[in-house]
Amino acid sequence: MFGRIGRFAVNRPWLTIIAWILATVAVVALAPQLKSTNDQADFLPSHYESVRVTELQQRAFPMAEQPSAIAVFQRDDGDKLSPADLTEVTRIAGALQAEGYDKVKSVLASPEAVSPNGKVALASVFATTKNHYDQALFESVKQLRADAKPLLAKTGLSMGVTGPTASGLDNLESSGDTDAMIMLATLVLIVVLLLLIFRSPLIALLPVLLILLVFVVATGLIATAAELGGLQADNSVSAILIVVLFGVGTDYILFLLFRYREQLREGQEPKKAMIDAVARVGETIASAAGAVIVAFFALVLSTMGMLRAMGPSLAIAVAVTLLASLTLVPAVFSLLGAKAFWPSKAWKKQPRSVVAGLGTLVSQRPRLLAGLSGGLLAVMSVAAFGFNAEFDSESSLPQNLESVQASKDLQRGFSAGQTDPSLVLVASKDGSRLDPAALETFREKLSGVEGVGDVSPAMLGTAGDAAQFSVVLDFRPAEEAAINLVAGDLRDTAHQVAPEGTEALVGGTSAVLADIRAAVDHDYSLVFPIAGIAIMVILGLLLRSAIAPWYLIVAVGLGFGATLGSAVLVFQQIKGENGLMFALPVFVYLFVVAIGTDYNILMVARLREEIARGRTQQEAVRLAVTHSAPTIGAAAVILAGTFGVLMLAANSMLQQLGFAVAFGILIAAFVMALVLVPAVTSLLGERAWWPSRDRQGPTEGDDAVPALAPEPATT
């Protein structure tokens, strides 16, 4: 089948290229914009308590609102605020409200918003939208900060803005243009490495241009699927999509080009060489892409809408990349022929290899290398049991940001949760009006929960059958102590002491994060095993073996554990951070497990090919490692380098993501694919391919082909 695909693309190159250009134009012209959201509550299923609170609040309290941002005032000298100071606070708040910012309803300072110690005063910024992360609201808060500076001049007061919108704005700005940074770093790495490997500007630039075209098509198809299917994509999808497309795209193009060069060195005519290259590695590329697509699609089983949206989006991107790798890339390079390697002539001969000894060593000492590599991964995996999920995005931000500093200033006079109180709603089960006395008793019991700073009086809904309490915690809403309190004592108490005939529900940011934590824990126990089984099935079909998939999936599991363990050691043990970003295992799964499996597939597919040619097991291992090492090494360095750029970011969560995925990709390539997997295969011998008995003699032309010398990763 893949030979037929290769022949069609190579023999009809212009038809293939024009079809891709027309598809790109159509997608650009017709595809809608990809929608996104920052509100994690949007991604939780409706049965979670925090989501039910939001639904009840919208029904019973349509006019109720929480401030999107809070302006924190204090004296420059740290003393108590005088009556004149409070007058200035009111004046400044009034002047800011008069500016009429987009999406800002009011800026209010009230006498009640002064701390008990008299050192801090607050002004609440209320928005016309309930989406605290609205882009227009971001711009308004940014302008409000700038406008406040001249108003504060000569008052002896300082002001900082914190709260959900201000923190979201600072998070966005501190991260910088991450998409652009990733794109630029990826382009530079691909161009430089391909130039070093092939010494050809055409081969260095063409893959980039081809992948950019694929990026446009894939993005349009994802947006169309989202529009038709009602899918909602998280803001992180765009950055991840860049890495996925350029990562797997470069992998598949390298798989093809290295084999194309190998066929040319055998003396084949360029068109025939490309057709044979597609025929020989097409199944490998398709299997690798199939494993990644299945792994991504497994995310639709997640209870988190964010992951359910991300999975199909990335699967579509990989499917488009697969199609381009088997059609567009062969068509373009068939037009260029051997001129694609211009001006270099090194492709014509077998150079001395820097990996010549590796293939020999693995084939001759498989037991030693399997023990060393497997033992290393196992030891590193032990540290993964110390993984502590961190949901506090504020703690990952640079401490000099205004929202972070203003939050600390607020705590000089108020409870840390003042910026974003939790919500407790009480609703009558039969629709009857609530008893005010019972509600006051309920409020007193909530106030007695350890860690609760203040509970507001009950606010009755429009129908009188529901009441809302604003609960200020002693902890910042996103920190672990607040999440544990809401998920534990606060919810337990609210449920137990709810007035007779009513139901009590706890919501707010801390509750949303508590529910996300529960959802993620559920997903880890469901999605990962199912994806692992699906990948094993694909490996079994590719290799016609019931044995090889088992040790391959064990190797992948060891790589996953070693990656998480290394991140725990570096960030929790050495740097002393409280924990790692809660979604880190998901990203390790997406890139280290799913994409990293490509390298294992390439290795075992080449092993099986050499066995089918009649090689001995030892010789097959030597040749497979020798020929696969340059491809795997180059592809892994490009993908790892792309993520490694994130370690330059000021945001510690981006640093964690960059380190973990870059390190994991390198482990998957240089430890698993090039050492552990071929070593174990060598130890198992014929048993690795059971029940397949497919040992062909040399294929046509093989007799004239000497045992190829290794190809270098760089020359």
Side-chain angles (χ1 to χ4, degrees):
M1 181 182 73
F2 295 102
R4 290 195 296 271
I5 294 173
R7 280 193 294 274
F8 179 89
V10 169
N11 293 330
R12 298 174 179 80
W14 285 113
L15 178 61
T16 304
I17 293 170
I18 291 172
W20 271 97
I21 293 174
L22 291 176
T24 305
V25 172
V27 165
V28 171
L30 302 176
Q33 290 292 319
L34 187 62
K35 298 177 181 179
S36 61
T37 178
N38 279 305
D39 190 352
Q40 295 299 314
D42 292 345
F43 295 126
L44 283 170
S46 58
H47 66 269
Y48 280 94
E49 187 168 334
S50 59
V51 179
R52 294 172 60 200
V53 166
T54 301
E55 295 171 349
L56 176 59
Q57 187 184 36
Q58 291 173 348
R59 175 182 65 80
F61 303 92
M63 302 303 293
E65 53 187 355
Q66 294 284 344
S68 294
I70 295 177
V72 182
F73 294 88
Q74 59 182 339
R75 286 186 59 85
D76 293 334
D77 57 15
D79 288 344
K80 289 185 177 182
L81 296 166
S82 67
D85 293 330
L86 296 177
T87 300
E88 288 293 333
V89 170
T90 303
R91 176 187 69 83
I92 294 171
L96 293 174
Q97 179 169 333
E99 293 289 340
Y101 300 109
D102 188 21
K103 298 291 181 74
V104 173
K105 180 179 180 180
S106 60
V107 183
L108 300 177
S110 62
E112 294 81 12
V114 179
S115 65
N117 63 11
K119 291 186 176 183
V120 180
L122 307 178
S124 298
V125 180
F126 293 95
T128 58
T129 174
K130 291 188 176 181
N131 179 13
H132 295 317
Y133 306 101
D134 184 273
Q135 187 61 43
L137 192 56
F138 278 165
E139 294 299 324
S140 294
V141 169
K142 186 176 181 179
Q143 188 60 47
L144 182 148
R145 284 172 166 174
D147 293 341
K149 291 179 180 178
L151 296 173
L152 291 164
K154 300 180 181 180
T155 63
L157 299 174
S158 62
M159 185 198 90
V161 183
T162 187
T165 302
S167 295
L169 172 63
D170 287 345
N171 192 6
L172 182 65
E173 292 187 338
S174 70
S175 299
D177 194 347
T178 304
D179 289 4
M181 180 175 66
I182 291 175
M183 178 75 81
L184 180 61
T186 305
L187 294 180
V188 171
L189 281 166
I190 291 175
V191 171
V192 170
L193 286 173
L194 290 179
L195 194 59
L196 288 173
I197 295 167
F198 293 100
R199 300 181 186 178
S200 166
L202 281 175
I203 292 186
L205 294 174
L206 274 176
V208 172
L209 297 177
L210 295 176
I211 296 172
L212 283 173
L213 186 144
V214 171
F215 177 80
V216 173
V217 174
T219 303
L221 291 178
I222 292 168
T224 303
E227 185 78 13
L228 297 177
L231 208 61
Q232 201 169 26
D234 180 67
N235 278 342
S236 62
V237 167
S238 58
I240 296 173
L241 188 61
I242 293 170
V243 178
V244 167
L245 281 171
F246 280 90
V248 301
T250 304
D251 280 2
Y252 301 159
I253 290 175
L254 285 176
F255 291 178
L256 187 63
L257 287 183
F258 272 98
R259 196 55 182 259
Y260 176 50
R261 188 174 68 175
E262 184 179 327
Q263 299 300 121
L264 287 175
R265 283 174 175 168
E266 292 181 8
Q268 288 188 351
E269 179 268 334
K271 286 185 179 294
K272 179 67 165 59
M274 180 57 75
I275 293 172
D276 283 359
V278 175
R280 290 187 180 276
V281 300
E283 185 179 16
T284 301
I285 294 174
S287 299
V292 176
I293 290 171
V294 166
F296 286 162
F297 258 122
L299 293 177
V300 301
L301 301 174
S302 169
T303 54
M304 288 277 291
M306 175 184 70
L307 299 181
R308 289 200 308 274
M310 184 185 298
S313 299
L314 298 181
I316 290 171
V318 174
V320 175
T321 306
L322 168 63
L323 183 61
S325 300
L326 297 180
T327 57
L328 180 61
V329 175
V332 170
F333 279 93
S334 70
L335 289 175
L336 295 172
K339 295 178 182 178
F341 297 96
W342 179 88
S344 173
K345 296 182 180 180
W347 63 271
K348 295 182 178 180
K349 56 185 178 180
Q350 298 287 355
R352 296 182 63 184
S353 173
V354 297
V355 294
L358 180 60
T360 302
L361 184 62
V362 173
S363 64
Q364 292 180 351
R365 297 291 186 88
R367 193 179 305 277
L368 173 64
L369 291 182
L372 289 176
S373 57
L376 173 64
L377 295 179
V379 169
M380 294 174 65
S381 298
V382 173
F385 291 101
F387 173 78
N388 182 40
E390 177 64 77
F391 292 81
D392 188 1
S393 59
E394 183 178 308
S395 66
S396 70
L397 297 175
Q399 295 302 296
N400 61 348
L401 293 179
E402 182 173 331
S403 60
V404 177
Q405 191 58 53
S407 178
K408 293 179 179 178
D409 293 339
L410 179 145
Q411 294 175 47
R412 296 180 62 239
F414 292 94
S415 296
Q418 186 74 38
T419 58
D420 192 3
S422 294
L423 299 175
V424 177
L425 270 65
V426 176
S428 172
K429 293 181 179 179
D430 58 6
S432 60
R433 294 187 65 85
L434 298 175
D435 178 14
L439 291 176
E440 182 59 27
T441 301
F442 177 75
R443 173 177 174 267
E444 292 174 356
K445 292 181 179 179
L446 284 184
S447 301
V449 175
E450 185 177 356
V452 172
D454 181 61
V455 181
S456 69
M459 180 175 68
L460 286 173
T462 53
D465 62 343
Q468 175 177 294
F469 300 87
S470 180
V471 181
V472 177
L473 306 181
D474 291 337
F475 316 103
R476 286 184 293 106
E479 68 177 294
E480 186 177 12
I483 297 172
N484 291 337
L485 174 60
V486 168
D489 290 348
L490 184 59
R491 272 184 172 164
D492 291 343
T493 301
H495 296 164
Q496 292 168 6
V497 304
E500 187 176 353
T502 69
E503 180 185 27
L505 302 172
V506 180
T509 298
S510 301
V512 168
L513 294 176
D515 289 343
I516 287 177
R517 182 171 66 182
V520 168
D521 290 343
H522 169 269
D523 292 346
Y524 289 165
S525 63
L526 175 67
V527 175
F528 289 0
I530 291 177
I533 292 172
I535 291 174
M536 284 184 65
V537 171
I538 290 177
L539 291 172
L541 293 174
L542 168 68
L543 302 174
R544 286 80 164 174
S545 168
I547 303 299
W550 287 98
Y551 65 82
L552 288 176
I553 208 70
V554 170
V556 168
L558 285 173
F560 178 85
T563 301
L564 272 187
S566 65
V568 169
L569 288 173
V570 170
F571 289 95
Q572 291 184 204
Q573 302 299 324
I574 297 176
K575 295 189 67 175
E577 296 184 5
N578 293 329
L580 301 171
M581 62 183 296
F582 74 93
L584 188 62
V586 174
F587 287 109
V588 172
Y589 160 77
L590 289 174
F591 296 106
V592 177
V593 174
I595 297 179
T597 301
D598 288 0
Y599 309 139
N600 284 340
I601 289 177
L602 181 67
M603 175 58 68
V604 293
R606 187 60 186 252
L607 272 168
R608 187 178 185 280
E609 180 183 331
E610 296 297 340
I611 289 290
R613 285 182 169 188
R615 318 285 191 191
T616 65
Q617 189 81 3
Q618 185 178 27
E619 181 67 5
V621 168
R622 185 187 71 81
L623 289 173
V625 173
T626 297
H627 287 300
S628 301
T631 311
I632 292 173
V637 169
I638 289 174
L639 189 57
T642 300
F643 272 100
V645 174
L646 295 179
M647 288 188 282
L648 301 176
N651 188 310
S652 67
M653 288 192 175
L654 289 178
Q655 294 172 5
Q656 294 168 11
L657 176 61
F659 171 82
V661 177
F663 190 77
I665 287 293
L666 295 177
I667 286 177
F670 294 103
V671 180
M672 279 197 303
L674 293 180
V675 179
L676 179 60
V677 168
V680 173
T681 304
S682 180
L683 287 174
L684 290 175
E686 292 289 339
R687 290 169 294 180
W689 313 108
W690 185 86
S692 175
R693 299 294 181 185
D694 182 21
R695 288 187 58 91
Q696 305 170 0
T699 58
E700 183 180 352
D702 278 354
D703 290 334
V705 180
L708 299 177
E711 298 187 43
T714 59
T715 58

